Amino acid sequence: MHKPNRLIHALFAPFCFTLAMWVFFTIAQANGHGMTALGIKPHNLHSLHGVLLSVFAHADLRHIANNSVAVLLLGTALFYFYRNIAYKVFAINWLVSGTLLWLFGRSAIHIGASGLTYGLAFFLFFSGLLRHERPLRVLSLLVVFQYGGMVWGMMPQDNNISWDGHLLGAIGGLCLALAFRKSSLVTQPTKPAPMPGNQQTTFTQDIDIEYLYKNNSTNN
């Protein structure tokens, strides 16, 4: 796959997800409703839907803008460099970050995709360190350079910020990096099936090719 096409494919899923965030936000703003009903309230069975839906709920324009940029950048990096496992990682990260917050978060209503973005950032960082591919390690350094300040967002400094959601999302990303550390990043090509009625093995075919090559070289 050519790089421009590969980049477009990598951008597609993060763009669709970000677009869905903005659709939810726009509808809520137009109707004058808050989005806390979509949030996660830990240990509350009535807020279990928030495990899936809280990522689409944002408090204000600045909140959704920050998360949009992070989802687009980190998500595109995930789908570009980890294209064979990207959908699995993204979906599991989404579920794990929300579930951990519902199980272990402090008593509050948590909204936003920050837990998801922390999971993506920590997955990209630790996965690059655990693998031996140079481009992935460079990507780890770029994540640190761009999002190193995210570490402060996991500290309990402001009760209006879901720092525990950030922390639990980061833990989820680390666990995913460990779980997928040996997974192939690209789909391996499959060998073509032999033609019906052709009983010649690959080994004998290779011998025939080498024999013909030597004969041609001798004749010349």
Side-chain angles (χ1 to χ4, degrees):
M1 184 182 296
H2 297 296
K3 285 189 176 181
N5 290 335
R6 182 177 167 185
L7 182 60
I8 292 173
H9 280 81
L11 182 60
F12 177 75
F15 175 78
C16 290
F17 187 88
T18 304
L19 181 61
M21 287 166 45
W22 280 93
V23 168
F24 272 84
F25 182 76
T26 302
I27 292 175
Q29 292 295 310
N31 293 331
H33 297 308
M35 304 190 76
T36 55
L38 300 180
I40 296 175
K41 190 174 182 180
H43 313 136
N44 188 326
L45 292 176
H46 296 292
S47 75
L48 269 175
H49 62 275
V51 171
L52 289 176
L53 298 180
S54 62
V55 293
F56 299 115
H58 292 85
D60 51 39
L61 191 60
R62 180 180 179 182
H63 189 200
I64 191 173
N66 289 338
N67 281 339
S68 295
V69 173
V71 168
L72 286 173
L73 291 179
L74 296 171
T76 301
L78 172 69
F79 281 87
Y80 188 89
F81 290 98
Y82 295 85
R83 59 189 182 277
N84 200 42
I85 60 173
Y87 281 101
K88 291 180 183 179
V89 171
F90 192 92
I92 296 173
N93 179 38
W94 182 354
L95 290 174
V96 167
S97 60
T99 301
L100 289 177
L101 183 56
W102 189 87
L103 289 172
F104 303 110
R106 59 193 168 88
S107 181
I109 299 177
H110 303 263
I111 59 174
S114 299
L116 174 68
T117 60
Y118 269 75
L120 291 175
F122 274 70
F123 171 83
L124 293 173
F125 173 71
F126 283 105
S127 184
L129 295 183
L130 293 171
R131 295 175 181 269
H132 298 293
E133 291 89 343
R134 184 179 177 182
L136 301 183
R137 294 192 171 182
V138 173
L139 178 61
S140 293
L141 295 178
L142 290 175
V143 170
V144 171
F145 178 78
Q146 183 67 30
Y147 290 102
M150 294 177 77
V151 174
W152 299 108
M154 298 186 294
M155 307 297 178
Q157 302 177 12
D158 188 345
N159 287 331
N160 292 322
I161 296 176
S162 182
W163 60 266
D164 42 348
H166 300 168
L167 175 62
L168 294 168
I171 292 173
L174 169 60
C175 292
L176 285 174
L178 292 170
F180 285 95
R181 68 187 183 279
K182 295 183 179 179
S183 298
S184 175
L185 302 185
V186 294
T187 303
Q188 299 298 327
T190 56
K191 295 182 178 180
M195 295 296 292
N198 184 4
Q199 301 298 323
Q200 190 177 32
T201 64
T202 303
F203 178 72
T204 57
Q205 287 174 351
D206 292 341
I207 291 177
D208 288 345
I209 292 171
E210 185 177 359
Y211 176 77
L212 290 173
Y213 175 77
K214 287 182 177 179
N215 276 352
N216 291 334
S217 297
T218 304
N219 292 337
N220 292 334

